[in-house]
Amino acid sequence: MKTTLDQIVVEARELFRERGYAGASMQDLAERVGLKKASLYTRFPSKEALVEPVLALTLEETFADLDDDANDWLGSYEAVLKRIAAALTDRARCVGLHLAYGVQADAPDALSAVRKYFAALRDGLAAILKHPLSTKRATTVATDALVRLEGATLWTVIANDPQPMQRALKALIAEARALNASP
Amino acid sequence: MKTTLDQIVVEARELFRERGYAGASMQDLAERVGLKKASLYTRFPSKEALVEPVLALTLEETFADLDDDANDWLGSYEAVLKRIAAALTDRARCVGLHLAYGVQADAPDALSAVRKYFAALRDGLAAILKHPLSTKRATTVATDALVRLEGATLWTVIANDPQPMQRALKALIAEARALNASP
DNA sequence: TGAAAATACTACCTACCGGTCGTTATTATG
DNA sequence: CATAATAACGACCGGTAGGTAGTATTTTCA
């Protein structure tokens, strides 16, 4: 009857995504994974400790199976952007954004996990953009791309409307293609 | 010793902004306004009922003192965008976004208040953009502008970095100016 | 000024929160 | 197969959540 850590992390992510950090309860999580609440504490020392693995999993999924082919940076970039956009669209909300807004100073480990997560996302995108751009410019463009996609989740959340996300994605890809022409 | 409704709404907004819907407590709110918790309930029937006036106030501030001058739609548009960006930057978070993510189906009145708030924001921007654009296109452009600014709050929250917001603002204004040249 | 209405208070309710206790059942390893 | 480690459990802790009852105080207005 051993429940895997992954199951717990996946369900915790879903819960954080739906209800945010404050709104998610260990009781709810226990029920989702078919355990009693006390049993969760044999796996994770606290609610706060769930945040890091939740975001690590998400980050891993985002950059899985990406070959850093210098000759096809544009393909890699498009692929990652599409992957991020797809994840944000089909779950409506972004776990990371929900946690970024919801995690407070009284959960310092969670706070630093959130910061590391977004820094890693940005750096992952920037690494691809370093092929046509300077390091500094790559970071800027990556940051702007990321916040643009994240912002579009507002409309998926309140109106269940994926179109702003699609338009943002299209615009970002067009900008990247333009970089290829004039660096 | 009468506390004004406005004081309560302003403090509630601050609390929702900082902690989100689930994370904000009536006890905290009471302390902020210098009342006992029970006294809040003589003014508002529930926590949920705070959401609508909080967003109404924010909306009102956003569009205050704007003359809809057809000859200077660009000036009005820039002014509103700057106002939104400034509010998002100096409070780091956006109340509306925090509530959009945090309000759940079990708070239906709050949910519809959030939806109305963002629809009104979009419509307010779209009304200005109807001068150079078709109704349909104005709505699209307004929506995209809004989500772009909102997305930039991610970086103000996690890194206390206002630059993505400034860049988004600049880009949006540039796009609007381009509209003026080629409609 | 006096009474109605609005506001505030103390005290309390039930439900749930994150987390811990001591104990039992399961699993891995020698 | 024994044993140690891991994982699961029921019961419980103090604290706090949203909200209410009943009462006292203040404000409003005729």
Side-chain angles (χ1 to χ4, degrees):
Chain A
M1 292 188 182
K2 197 175 150 187
T3 303
T4 69
L5 281 183
D6 257 6
Q7 284 177 265
I8 298 175
V9 171
V10 165
E11 291 299 330
R13 175 168 63 180
E14 197 53 34
L15 210 53
F16 284 146
R17 184 147 38 201
E18 287 173 17
R19 316 237 175 124
Y21 186 74
S25 85
M26 296 300 273
Q27 177 63 43
D28 283 345
L29 178 57
E31 281 166 20
R32 284 197 189 219
V33 297
L35 288 179
K36 297 298 168 181
K37 188 178 57 161
S39 306
L40 286 177
Y41 285 88
T42 66
R43 310 304 207 81
F44 293 92
S46 65
K47 177 179 171 181
E48 189 179 358
L50 286 162
V51 171
E52 194 273 334
V54 157
L55 295 176
L57 172 66
T58 305
L59 194 65
E60 190 192 305
E61 288 173 0
T62 303
F63 292 111
D65 307 316
L66 265 192
D67 45 342
D68 187 10
D69 181 357
N71 290 330
D72 189 27
W73 68 268
L74 186 56
S76 298
Y77 187 64
E78 284 192 27
V80 178
L81 290 186
K82 281 179 183 167
R83 208 177 281 185
I84 294 172
L88 297 185
T89 299
D90 73 54
R91 301 290 189 158
R93 293 162 163 83
C94 170
V95 221
L97 181 56
H98 212 156
L99 289 171
Y101 261 75
V103 166
Q104 310 290 324
D106 59 309
D109 292 351
L111 199 53
S112 88
V114 172
R115 291 187 172 132
K116 278 175 66 175
Y117 168 71
F118 280 111
L121 257 184
R122 176 204 58 196
D123 292 344
L125 286 171
I128 299 173
L129 289 168
K130 272 171 193 164
H131 290 116
L133 296 173
S134 72
T135 299
K136 192 177 173 185
R137 183 87 191 118
T139 301
T140 300
V141 173
T143 305
D144 289 355
L146 196 49
V147 304
R148 201 158 168 187
L149 293 179
E150 294 287 340
T153 63
L154 175 59
W155 235 251
T156 65
V157 167
I158 64 161
N160 201 30
D161 176 8
Q163 292 183 22
M165 181 75 72
Q166 287 311 308
R167 290 194 296 264
L169 180 60
K170 198 176 155 189
L172 291 170
I173 290 175
E175 280 176 20
R177 286 184 180 154
L179 285 181
N180 223 5
S182 66
Chain B
M1 295 188 179
K2 196 175 152 188
T3 304
T4 69
L5 281 183
D6 256 7
Q7 284 177 266
I8 299 174
V9 171
V10 166
E11 291 299 330
R13 174 168 64 177
E14 198 54 33
L15 211 53
F16 284 146
R17 184 148 39 200
E18 287 173 18
R19 316 237 174 123
Y21 186 75
S25 85
M26 296 299 275
Q27 177 62 44
D28 284 344
L29 178 56
E31 281 166 19
R32 283 198 189 220
V33 297
L35 288 179
K36 298 297 168 183
K37 188 177 56 161
S39 306
L40 287 177
Y41 285 89
T42 65
R43 310 304 207 80
F44 294 92
S46 65
K47 178 179 170 181
E48 189 179 356
L50 286 162
V51 171
E52 194 275 332
V54 158
L55 295 177
L57 172 66
T58 305
L59 194 64
E60 189 191 306
E61 289 173 359
T62 303
F63 291 111
D65 307 316
L66 266 191
D67 45 342
D68 188 10
D69 180 359
N71 290 332
D72 188 27
W73 68 268
L74 186 56
S76 298
Y77 186 64
E78 285 191 26
V80 178
L81 289 187
K82 282 179 182 167
R83 207 178 281 187
I84 294 172
L88 297 185
T89 300
D90 73 53
R91 302 289 189 161
R93 294 163 162 81
C94 171
V95 221
L97 181 56
H98 212 156
L99 289 171
Y101 261 75
V103 166
Q104 312 289 322
D106 59 310
D109 293 350
L111 199 54
S112 88
V114 172
R115 290 188 172 131
K116 278 175 65 178
Y117 168 71
F118 280 111
L121 256 184
R122 175 203 58 196
D123 291 344
L125 285 171
I128 299 174
L129 289 168
K130 272 171 194 163
H131 290 117
L133 296 173
S134 72
T135 298
K136 193 177 173 185
R137 183 86 189 118
T139 300
T140 300
V141 172
T143 304
D144 289 356
L146 196 48
V147 303
R148 202 158 168 186
L149 294 179
E150 295 285 342
T153 63
L154 174 58
W155 236 250
T156 65
V157 167
I158 65 161
N160 200 29
D161 177 7
Q163 292 182 22
M165 181 76 71
Q166 288 309 310
R167 290 194 296 264
L169 180 60
K170 196 175 156 189
L172 291 170
I173 289 175
E175 279 177 21
R177 285 185 180 153
L179 285 181
N180 222 6
S182 66

